[in-house]
Amino acid sequence: MMARKRRRRAALYTFFLVLFAIALLAAAAYGLLMVWTYAEEYEYTRSYHAIDDYLEELNRERWSDGIAEAVAAMPHEAQTDEEIKAFVQDKLSSGVTAVRKGGSETMSVYSLRCGGREIGTVTIEEDTSYRSRIDTTQKPWSWLKWNLYPWKVTGDSFDFNALYNSVEVTVPFNYQVFVNGVQLGSEYIVEKGIPYDNINKEYYSYWNGLPTKVTYRFDHIIGEAQTEIRDGDGQPTVIDPNQGDEQFTTYVSGDELARYTDFAVPFATAYLSYISGAGDPGVRLAELKNYMLEDGTLYNRMYDALDGLSWAHTSYINVDSVFVNSVLELVNGFSEVDLTASASYYYYGKGDQTSTSNLKILVYDDGERLLAEGVELY
């Protein structure tokens, strides 16, 4: 009888012990489950998830609403939206990364970088509308000092101004400049009235109407630009940077060149003979007077030099050759004759000498004759 009671108490004790063990295991499992759930929720709320997801999509698409908005705000008159999109996507193909640059406990701003250069920023903030599986208002979770809010992207912005290239070209004033097929208007001229480098700059102070150049500048090219230049007749042309403005200039030729040559040879002979001081200066001046514009700059200079030439030490001079290099028509009947003359002469104390002179003669056409108004030796 006593043995039976003892066995019954042992079985009951074992039963309750098993129940207690099961309860402990259940409590432990529940606790572990809650800790695991918390760990999952905590991991979900790490900010790098939002940034990683954002970058993954950005690098996959290489386009976003923020990029589209930035590109739409960029002037690109000479390029289509599709061309700009293709160029930007190509640039982003090297990959976009993010570096935190500021923020607070509930907000972070990241610098978006591509090719070592910042191209924009993205902002992430805690999503306070999210409802976690863990009630952080209840113990023991309320003892922790942080909330289980995930992060979300709340805005991004881009700046692609660094992609801009500039086109600057200087052309004659009547030329046309096209960038990617779009003609540049006068609003793109940044400098005008530029003298030709093969025309004496002093002439520009004398007369209006001389040919000039203008400089166009276009700053709204994203990537490479195709520039086309057309001449005054609208024909495509190529400017050689190694040549001067002679390439834009039409010089006198044919019969008109022969007319100027017929004037230049006797003029150069009379001019060089006079300024050498050989012979009678008065006689030499009378010969030269036939080729000079009366009361012109050269005319007055030669008369002023008359007295000084009587002291010259040249006994004779012979102009051996005169070659007209070019004749450039200017305005108001004036032209510039460029010539080279060779002369031999005898100079007291030095004997027989030879010399080569380069002259630019400002010539006036009165309709009947050609007359020299000025001479520049160079």
Side-chain angles (χ1 to χ4, degrees), residues 130-151:
Y130 177 74
R131 293 296 173 259
S132 172
R133 291 177 295 168
I134 299 294
D135 187 355
T136 56
T137 63
Q138 301 296 319
K139 293 180 180 179
W141 316 117
S142 61
W143 293 340
L144 302 176
K145 294 183 179 180
W146 53 78
N147 296 312
L148 294 179
Y149 293 134
W151 294 70

PDB file of all heavy atoms in Angstrom, residues 130-151:
ATOM      1  N   TYR A 130       6.201  53.380 -40.459  1.00  0.00           N
ATOM      2  CA  TYR A 130       6.357  51.929 -40.420  1.00  0.00           C
ATOM      3  C   TYR A 130       5.943  51.376 -39.061  1.00  0.00           C
ATOM      4  O   TYR A 130       6.268  51.943 -38.018  1.00  0.00           O
ATOM      5  CB  TYR A 130       7.819  51.575 -40.711  1.00  0.00           C
ATOM      6  CG  TYR A 130       8.121  50.098 -40.623  1.00  0.00           C
ATOM      7  CD1 TYR A 130       7.714  49.212 -41.615  1.00  0.00           C
ATOM      8  CD2 TYR A 130       8.815  49.579 -39.519  1.00  0.00           C
ATOM      9  CE1 TYR A 130       8.000  47.868 -41.535  1.00  0.00           C
ATOM     10  CE2 TYR A 130       9.104  48.227 -39.433  1.00  0.00           C
ATOM     11  CZ  TYR A 130       8.685  47.380 -40.442  1.00  0.00           C
ATOM     12  OH  TYR A 130       8.962  46.033 -40.351  1.00  0.00           O
ATOM     13  N   ARG A 131       5.224  50.259 -39.070  1.00  0.00           N
ATOM     14  CA  ARG A 131       4.799  49.579 -37.841  1.00  0.00           C
ATOM     15  C   ARG A 131       5.563  48.273 -37.703  1.00  0.00           C
ATOM     16  O   ARG A 131       5.377  47.344 -38.474  1.00  0.00           O
ATOM     17  CB  ARG A 131       3.290  49.300 -37.855  1.00  0.00           C
ATOM     18  CG  ARG A 131       2.453  50.566 -37.800  1.00  0.00           C
ATOM     19  CD  ARG A 131       2.675  51.295 -36.466  1.00  0.00           C
ATOM     20  NE  ARG A 131       2.019  52.592 -36.432  1.00  0.00           N
ATOM     21  CZ  ARG A 131       2.623  53.743 -36.618  1.00  0.00           C
ATOM     22  NH1 ARG A 131       3.926  53.761 -36.869  1.00  0.00           N
ATOM     23  NH2 ARG A 131       1.965  54.877 -36.574  1.00  0.00           N
ATOM     24  N   SER A 132       6.439  48.226 -36.715  1.00  0.00           N
ATOM     25  CA  SER A 132       7.299  47.070 -36.504  1.00  0.00           C
ATOM     26  C   SER A 132       6.523  45.921 -35.868  1.00  0.00           C
ATOM     27  O   SER A 132       5.465  46.113 -35.244  1.00  0.00           O
ATOM     28  CB  SER A 132       8.476  47.469 -35.613  1.00  0.00           C
ATOM     29  OG  SER A 132       9.229  46.340 -35.231  1.00  0.00           O
ATOM     30  N   ARG A 133       7.052  44.704 -35.973  1.00  0.00           N
ATOM     31  CA  ARG A 133       6.494  43.545 -35.278  1.00  0.00           C
ATOM     32  C   ARG A 133       6.824  43.581 -33.792  1.00  0.00           C
ATOM     33  O   ARG A 133       6.305  42.788 -33.016  1.00  0.00           O
ATOM     34  CB  ARG A 133       7.052  42.257 -35.899  1.00  0.00           C
ATOM     35  CG  ARG A 133       6.547  41.974 -37.309  1.00  0.00           C
ATOM     36  CD  ARG A 133       7.194  40.726 -37.876  1.00  0.00           C
ATOM     37  NE  ARG A 133       8.639  40.911 -38.057  1.00  0.00           N
ATOM     38  CZ  ARG A 133       9.470  39.900 -38.320  1.00  0.00           C
ATOM     39  NH1 ARG A 133       9.023  38.652 -38.386  1.00  0.00           N
ATOM     40  NH2 ARG A 133      10.766  40.149 -38.486  1.00  0.00           N
ATOM     41  N   ILE A 134       7.707  44.495 -33.417  1.00  0.00           N
ATOM     42  CA  ILE A 134       8.079  44.671 -32.014  1.00  0.00           C
ATOM     43  C   ILE A 134       7.461  45.971 -31.504  1.00  0.00           C
ATOM     44  O   ILE A 134       7.643  47.028 -32.107  1.00  0.00           O
ATOM     45  CB  ILE A 134       9.605  44.716 -31.841  1.00  0.00           C
ATOM     46  CG1 ILE A 134      10.241  43.405 -32.325  1.00  0.00           C
ATOM     47  CG2 ILE A 134       9.990  45.001 -30.407  1.00  0.00           C
ATOM     48  CD1 ILE A 134       9.873  42.203 -31.499  1.00  0.00           C
ATOM     49  N   ASP A 135       6.712  45.875 -30.418  1.00  0.00           N
ATOM     50  CA  ASP A 135       6.127  47.069 -29.814  1.00  0.00           C
ATOM     51  C   ASP A 135       7.148  47.665 -28.852  1.00  0.00           C
ATOM     52  O   ASP A 135       7.326  47.193 -27.723  1.00  0.00           O
ATOM     53  CB  ASP A 135       4.832  46.717 -29.073  1.00  0.00           C
ATOM     54  CG  ASP A 135       4.110  47.955 -28.567  1.00  0.00           C
ATOM     55  OD1 ASP A 135       4.658  49.065 -28.715  1.00  0.00           O
ATOM     56  OD2 ASP A 135       2.990  47.810 -28.030  1.00  0.00           O
ATOM     57  N   THR A 136       7.815  48.685 -29.326  1.00  0.00           N
ATOM     58  CA  THR A 136       8.891  49.273 -28.533  1.00  0.00           C
ATOM     59  C   THR A 136       8.383  50.119 -27.363  1.00  0.00           C
ATOM     60  O   THR A 136       9.188  50.628 -26.581  1.00  0.00           O
ATOM     61  CB  THR A 136       9.782  50.141 -29.435  1.00  0.00           C
ATOM     62  OG1 THR A 136       8.964  51.134 -30.085  1.00  0.00           O
ATOM     63  CG2 THR A 136      10.483  49.295 -30.486  1.00  0.00           C
ATOM     64  N   THR A 137       7.062  50.215 -27.249  1.00  0.00           N
ATOM     65  CA  THR A 137       6.522  50.948 -26.093  1.00  0.00           C
ATOM     66  C   THR A 137       6.348  50.026 -24.884  1.00  0.00           C
ATOM     67  O   THR A 137       6.071  50.508 -23.779  1.00  0.00           O
ATOM     68  CB  THR A 137       5.164  51.591 -26.423  1.00  0.00           C
ATOM     69  OG1 THR A 137       4.205  50.557 -26.716  1.00  0.00           O
ATOM     70  CG2 THR A 137       5.296  52.512 -27.627  1.00  0.00           C
ATOM     71  N   GLN A 138       6.486  48.726 -25.113  1.00  0.00           N
ATOM     72  CA  GLN A 138       6.320  47.751 -24.052  1.00  0.00           C
ATOM     73  C   GLN A 138       7.681  47.262 -23.568  1.00  0.00           C
ATOM     74  O   GLN A 138       8.657  47.245 -24.309  1.00  0.00           O
ATOM     75  CB  GLN A 138       5.491  46.558 -24.561  1.00  0.00           C
ATOM     76  CG  GLN A 138       4.106  46.925 -25.071  1.00  0.00           C
ATOM     77  CD  GLN A 138       3.225  47.492 -23.970  1.00  0.00           C
ATOM     78  OE1 GLN A 138       3.234  47.008 -22.830  1.00  0.00           O
ATOM     79  NE2 GLN A 138       2.471  48.543 -24.310  1.00  0.00           N
ATOM     80  N   LYS A 139       7.689  46.885 -22.299  1.00  0.00           N
ATOM     81  CA  LYS A 139       8.897  46.327 -21.734  1.00  0.00           C
ATOM     82  C   LYS A 139       9.110  44.930 -22.270  1.00  0.00           C
ATOM     83  O   LYS A 139       8.123  44.216 -22.542  1.00  0.00           O
ATOM     84  CB  LYS A 139       8.825  46.312 -20.208  1.00  0.00           C
ATOM     85  CG  LYS A 139       8.821  47.710 -19.595  1.00  0.00           C
ATOM     86  CD  LYS A 139       8.762  47.664 -18.077  1.00  0.00           C
ATOM     87  CE  LYS A 139       8.765  49.076 -17.481  1.00  0.00           C
ATOM     88  NZ  LYS A 139       8.684  49.049 -16.013  1.00  0.00           N
ATOM     89  N   PRO A 140      10.306  44.462 -22.462  1.00  0.00           N
ATOM     90  CA  PRO A 140      11.577  45.131 -22.087  1.00  0.00           C
ATOM     91  C   PRO A 140      12.095  46.089 -23.159  1.00  0.00           C
ATOM     92  O   PRO A 140      13.110  46.736 -22.986  1.00  0.00           O
ATOM     93  CB  PRO A 140      12.522  43.958 -21.908  1.00  0.00           C
ATOM     94  CG  PRO A 140      12.075  42.968 -22.934  1.00  0.00           C
ATOM     95  CD  PRO A 140      10.565  43.079 -22.965  1.00  0.00           C
ATOM     96  N   TRP A 141      11.339  46.151 -24.339  1.00  0.00           N
ATOM     97  CA  TRP A 141      11.863  46.918 -25.475  1.00  0.00           C
ATOM     98  C   TRP A 141      11.893  48.425 -25.198  1.00  0.00           C
ATOM     99  O   TRP A 141      12.703  49.151 -25.762  1.00  0.00           O
ATOM    100  CB  TRP A 141      11.035  46.623 -26.726  1.00  0.00           C
ATOM    101  CG  TRP A 141      10.738  45.159 -26.897  1.00  0.00           C
ATOM    102  CD1 TRP A 141       9.526  44.560 -26.885  1.00  0.00           C
ATOM    103  CD2 TRP A 141      11.702  44.116 -27.084  1.00  0.00           C
ATOM    104  NE1 TRP A 141       9.641  43.207 -27.054  1.00  0.00           N
ATOM    105  CE2 TRP A 141      10.977  42.903 -27.182  1.00  0.00           C
ATOM    106  CE3 TRP A 141      13.100  44.070 -27.164  1.00  0.00           C
ATOM    107  CZ2 TRP A 141      11.605  41.683 -27.371  1.00  0.00           C
ATOM    108  CZ3 TRP A 141      13.717  42.852 -27.357  1.00  0.00           C
ATOM    109  CH2 TRP A 141      12.987  41.676 -27.455  1.00  0.00           C
ATOM    110  N   SER A 142      10.996  48.840 -24.322  1.00  0.00           N
ATOM    111  CA  SER A 142      10.967  50.271 -24.016  1.00  0.00           C
ATOM    112  C   SER A 142      12.213  50.727 -23.262  1.00  0.00           C
ATOM    113  O   SER A 142      12.468  51.928 -23.158  1.00  0.00           O
ATOM    114  CB  SER A 142       9.704  50.617 -23.213  1.00  0.00           C
ATOM    115  OG  SER A 142       9.700  49.898 -21.972  1.00  0.00           O
ATOM    116  N   TRP A 143      12.920  49.772 -22.688  1.00  0.00           N
ATOM    117  CA  TRP A 143      14.153  50.141 -21.987  1.00  0.00           C
ATOM    118  C   TRP A 143      15.256  50.567 -22.978  1.00  0.00           C
ATOM    119  O   TRP A 143      16.193  51.259 -22.605  1.00  0.00           O
ATOM    120  CB  TRP A 143      14.660  48.955 -21.174  1.00  0.00           C
ATOM    121  CG  TRP A 143      13.739  48.597 -20.035  1.00  0.00           C
ATOM    122  CD1 TRP A 143      12.796  49.369 -19.448  1.00  0.00           C
ATOM    123  CD2 TRP A 143      13.684  47.335 -19.381  1.00  0.00           C
ATOM    124  NE1 TRP A 143      12.144  48.719 -18.461  1.00  0.00           N
ATOM    125  CE2 TRP A 143      12.676  47.431 -18.380  1.00  0.00           C
ATOM    126  CE3 TRP A 143      14.373  46.130 -19.502  1.00  0.00           C
ATOM    127  CZ2 TRP A 143      12.344  46.383 -17.536  1.00  0.00           C
ATOM    128  CZ3 TRP A 143      14.043  45.098 -18.653  1.00  0.00           C
ATOM    129  CH2 TRP A 143      13.034  45.220 -17.680  1.00  0.00           C
ATOM    130  N   LEU A 144      15.128  50.127 -24.252  1.00  0.00           N
ATOM    131  CA  LEU A 144      16.118  50.497 -25.261  1.00  0.00           C
ATOM    132  C   LEU A 144      15.882  51.934 -25.722  1.00  0.00           C
ATOM    133  O   LEU A 144      14.752  52.432 -25.717  1.00  0.00           O
ATOM    134  CB  LEU A 144      16.041  49.546 -26.463  1.00  0.00           C
ATOM    135  CG  LEU A 144      16.246  48.063 -26.129  1.00  0.00           C
ATOM    136  CD1 LEU A 144      16.060  47.214 -27.379  1.00  0.00           C
ATOM    137  CD2 LEU A 144      17.641  47.832 -25.526  1.00  0.00           C
ATOM    138  N   LYS A 145      16.943  52.587 -26.135  1.00  0.00           N
ATOM    139  CA  LYS A 145      16.856  54.020 -26.432  1.00  0.00           C
ATOM    140  C   LYS A 145      16.785  54.314 -27.931  1.00  0.00           C
ATOM    141  O   LYS A 145      17.181  55.362 -28.379  1.00  0.00           O
ATOM    142  CB  LYS A 145      18.070  54.739 -25.825  1.00  0.00           C
ATOM    143  CG  LYS A 145      18.091  54.698 -24.302  1.00  0.00           C
ATOM    144  CD  LYS A 145      19.263  55.472 -23.748  1.00  0.00           C
ATOM    145  CE  LYS A 145      19.257  55.450 -22.225  1.00  0.00           C
ATOM    146  NZ  LYS A 145      20.395  56.208 -21.646  1.00  0.00           N
ATOM    147  N   TRP A 146      16.295  53.371 -28.700  1.00  0.00           N
ATOM    148  CA  TRP A 146      16.142  53.655 -30.126  1.00  0.00           C
ATOM    149  C   TRP A 146      14.848  53.046 -30.630  1.00  0.00           C
ATOM    150  O   TRP A 146      14.293  52.124 -30.047  1.00  0.00           O
ATOM    151  CB  TRP A 146      17.322  53.115 -30.937  1.00  0.00           C
ATOM    152  CG  TRP A 146      17.609  51.649 -30.707  1.00  0.00           C
ATOM    153  CD1 TRP A 146      16.954  50.594 -31.223  1.00  0.00           C
ATOM    154  CD2 TRP A 146      18.661  51.113 -29.896  1.00  0.00           C
ATOM    155  NE1 TRP A 146      17.493  49.415 -30.797  1.00  0.00           N
ATOM    156  CE2 TRP A 146      18.559  49.704 -29.988  1.00  0.00           C
ATOM    157  CE3 TRP A 146      19.681  51.671 -29.113  1.00  0.00           C
ATOM    158  CZ2 TRP A 146      19.428  48.840 -29.322  1.00  0.00           C
ATOM    159  CZ3 TRP A 146      20.535  50.815 -28.456  1.00  0.00           C
ATOM    160  CH2 TRP A 146      20.418  49.421 -28.563  1.00  0.00           C
ATOM    161  N   ASN A 147      14.371  53.621 -31.751  1.00  0.00           N
ATOM    162  CA  ASN A 147      13.160  53.147 -32.396  1.00  0.00           C
ATOM    163  C   ASN A 147      13.514  52.226 -33.557  1.00  0.00           C
ATOM    164  O   ASN A 147      14.590  52.319 -34.144  1.00  0.00           O
ATOM    165  CB  ASN A 147      12.332  54.320 -32.924  1.00  0.00           C
ATOM    166  CG  ASN A 147      11.837  55.218 -31.810  1.00  0.00           C
ATOM    167  OD1 ASN A 147      11.304  54.747 -30.812  1.00  0.00           O
ATOM    168  ND2 ASN A 147      12.012  56.532 -31.992  1.00  0.00           N
ATOM    169  N   LEU A 148      12.578  51.360 -33.864  1.00  0.00           N
ATOM    170  CA  LEU A 148      12.784  50.422 -34.964  1.00  0.00           C
ATOM    171  C   LEU A 148      12.113  50.958 -36.229  1.00  0.00           C
ATOM    172  O   LEU A 148      11.126  50.407 -36.723  1.00  0.00           O
ATOM    173  CB  LEU A 148      12.241  49.040 -34.593  1.00  0.00           C
ATOM    174  CG  LEU A 148      12.972  48.332 -33.459  1.00  0.00           C
ATOM    175  CD1 LEU A 148      12.318  46.986 -33.162  1.00  0.00           C
ATOM    176  CD2 LEU A 148      14.441  48.137 -33.794  1.00  0.00           C
ATOM    177  N   TYR A 149      12.679  52.076 -36.767  1.00  0.00           N
ATOM    178  CA  TYR A 149      12.152  52.672 -37.990  1.00  0.00           C
ATOM    179  C   TYR A 149      13.129  52.393 -39.136  1.00  0.00           C
ATOM    180  O   TYR A 149      14.325  52.670 -39.020  1.00  0.00           O
ATOM    181  CB  TYR A 149      11.980  54.178 -37.859  1.00  0.00           C
ATOM    182  CG  TYR A 149      10.911  54.593 -36.883  1.00  0.00           C
ATOM    183  CD1 TYR A 149      11.159  55.607 -35.963  1.00  0.00           C
ATOM    184  CD2 TYR A 149       9.657  53.987 -36.885  1.00  0.00           C
ATOM    185  CE1 TYR A 149      10.183  56.007 -35.069  1.00  0.00           C
ATOM    186  CE2 TYR A 149       8.675  54.381 -35.992  1.00  0.00           C
ATOM    187  CZ  TYR A 149       8.939  55.389 -35.083  1.00  0.00           C
ATOM    188  OH  TYR A 149       7.971  55.766 -34.190  1.00  0.00           O
ATOM    189  N   PRO A 150      12.648  51.856 -40.243  1.00  0.00           N
ATOM    190  CA  PRO A 150      13.526  51.710 -41.408  1.00  0.00           C
ATOM    191  C   PRO A 150      13.771  53.078 -42.051  1.00  0.00           C
ATOM    192  O   PRO A 150      13.125  54.065 -41.698  1.00  0.00           O
ATOM    193  CB  PRO A 150      12.723  50.794 -42.343  1.00  0.00           C
ATOM    194  CG  PRO A 150      11.299  51.096 -42.003  1.00  0.00           C
ATOM    195  CD  PRO A 150      11.273  51.380 -40.518  1.00  0.00           C
ATOM    196  N   TRP A 151      14.711  53.110 -42.988  1.00  0.00           N
ATOM    197  CA  TRP A 151      15.036  54.356 -43.677  1.00  0.00           C
ATOM    198  C   TRP A 151      14.514  54.311 -45.112  1.00  0.00           C
ATOM    199  O   TRP A 151      14.420  53.250 -45.724  1.00  0.00           O
ATOM    200  CB  TRP A 151      16.552  54.583 -43.700  1.00  0.00           C
ATOM    201  CG  TRP A 151      17.137  54.817 -42.336  1.00  0.00           C
ATOM    202  CD1 TRP A 151      17.271  53.894 -41.337  1.00  0.00           C
ATOM    203  CD2 TRP A 151      17.644  56.045 -41.823  1.00  0.00           C
ATOM    204  NE1 TRP A 151      17.845  54.468 -40.227  1.00  0.00           N
ATOM    205  CE2 TRP A 151      18.087  55.798 -40.503  1.00  0.00           C
ATOM    206  CE3 TRP A 151      17.795  57.328 -42.339  1.00  0.00           C
ATOM    207  CZ2 TRP A 151      18.654  56.772 -39.703  1.00  0.00           C
ATOM    208  CZ3 TRP A 151      18.360  58.310 -41.550  1.00  0.00           C
ATOM    209  CH2 TRP A 151      18.779  58.029 -40.244  1.00  0.00           C
TER     210      TRP A 151
END
